[in-house]
Structures are given as C-alpha cells and as structure tokens.
Amino acid sequence: MNHAHPGSLAPVTVVCLCAEWCAVCRNYVQTFRQAQEQFPHARMIWIDVEDEADLLDPLEVENFPTVLIAVDGLPRFFGPIRPQQETLERLIRAQMTAADPSPLTDRSVSELTDRILAAKART
C-alpha cells in the first residue's frame, strides 16, 4: 500500500517524541531544529507525548528522545536514540540513502506513522 499522496507528504518525515518535563528533551529541541537545517527537504515534527497522548495510544514512549523516521509514508526507524546531533543526522542520512529500504513490520508502529502523518497533514 502506498501511503504517499503527491504533494502532501515530504519523502522523509522525522518525528521526535519527547516530553516537556524531560530536561533531555528540552535541550534536544535545538538539536532537532539544527537537523532541519541539514535536511531542508525532510519534514520535521516535534510531538510532546503528554500533549498528544491520544495520537500515540496504544504505544507507550518511555525513553527520550524517541525518533520515528518514515520514508514515503512508511516507517523505517522507531526507537530511542542518543541525544546527539551526529546520531540524529547519521540516522536520517542512513534512512534516506538505504540501498535496500525495508519498512518496519511492527503493525503498531505502522499505525502510529499513519496517525501522525494524517494528523499533521491537517496542521
């Protein structure tokens, strides 16, 4: 199933799932913004897991920052990462240039990706 709609989704979407109360997350905001400068064609989305808990349900995010990377609307990476600029940039680059890209097969992550992309397409 092709999740992309011409003109409506960036080929690469990077979602950071964090929490305002988390000091690591508050410090990570700047890192995430710098990645946007490095990857201007990527769609960068910041989600506060408490403000948008309904969007994430039933998935629980317990480690911060947790990153979701989707290419052409399909999830390629989902998990916590080290809160370092180089780590995020390397991960994005790897997903953008994968010779044999395979989407994640976890249905709950695929459904989360669909919900996020649908919700953020309206904003």
Side-chain angles (χ1 to χ4, degrees):
M1 175 189 327
N2 183 0
H3 294 253
H5 303 286
S8 65
L9 296 178
V12 177
T13 303
V14 182
V15 182
C16 185
L17 303 164
C18 268
E20 177 59 34
W21 55 260
C22 171
V24 171
C25 292
R26 286 193 306 268
N27 293 332
Y28 195 64
V29 170
Q30 187 58 36
T31 299
F32 197 70
R33 288 185 181 138
Q34 288 171 345
Q36 176 70 73
E37 294 172 14
Q38 293 297 315
F39 301 97
H41 299 295
R43 182 169 184 212
M44 308 293 279
I45 301 171
W46 184 273
I47 292 180
D48 186 304
V49 298
E50 298 204 347
D51 290 347
E52 301 195 52
D54 291 349
L55 184 62
L56 301 178
D57 189 52
L59 280 176
E60 293 288 328
V61 176
E62 298 174 0
N63 298 302
F64 303 110
T66 291
V67 172
L68 167 66
I69 298 178
V71 178
D72 290 330
L74 299 173
R76 296 270 188 83
F77 175 87
F78 179 76
I81 67 169
R82 292 182 158 275
Q84 299 169 338
Q85 185 76 34
E86 301 78 28
T87 302
L88 179 60
E89 290 179 8
R90 186 170 42 247
L91 188 58
I92 294 169
R93 196 169 294 110
Q95 297 308 317
M96 290 174 72
T97 61
D100 184 23
S102 297
L104 300 178
T105 58
D106 184 325
R107 183 181 176 130
S108 61
V109 174
S110 294
E111 291 171 350
L112 173 64
T113 303
D114 291 344
R115 286 192 307 273
I116 290 171
L117 293 176
K120 299 304 175 182
R122 294 188 295 263
T123 58

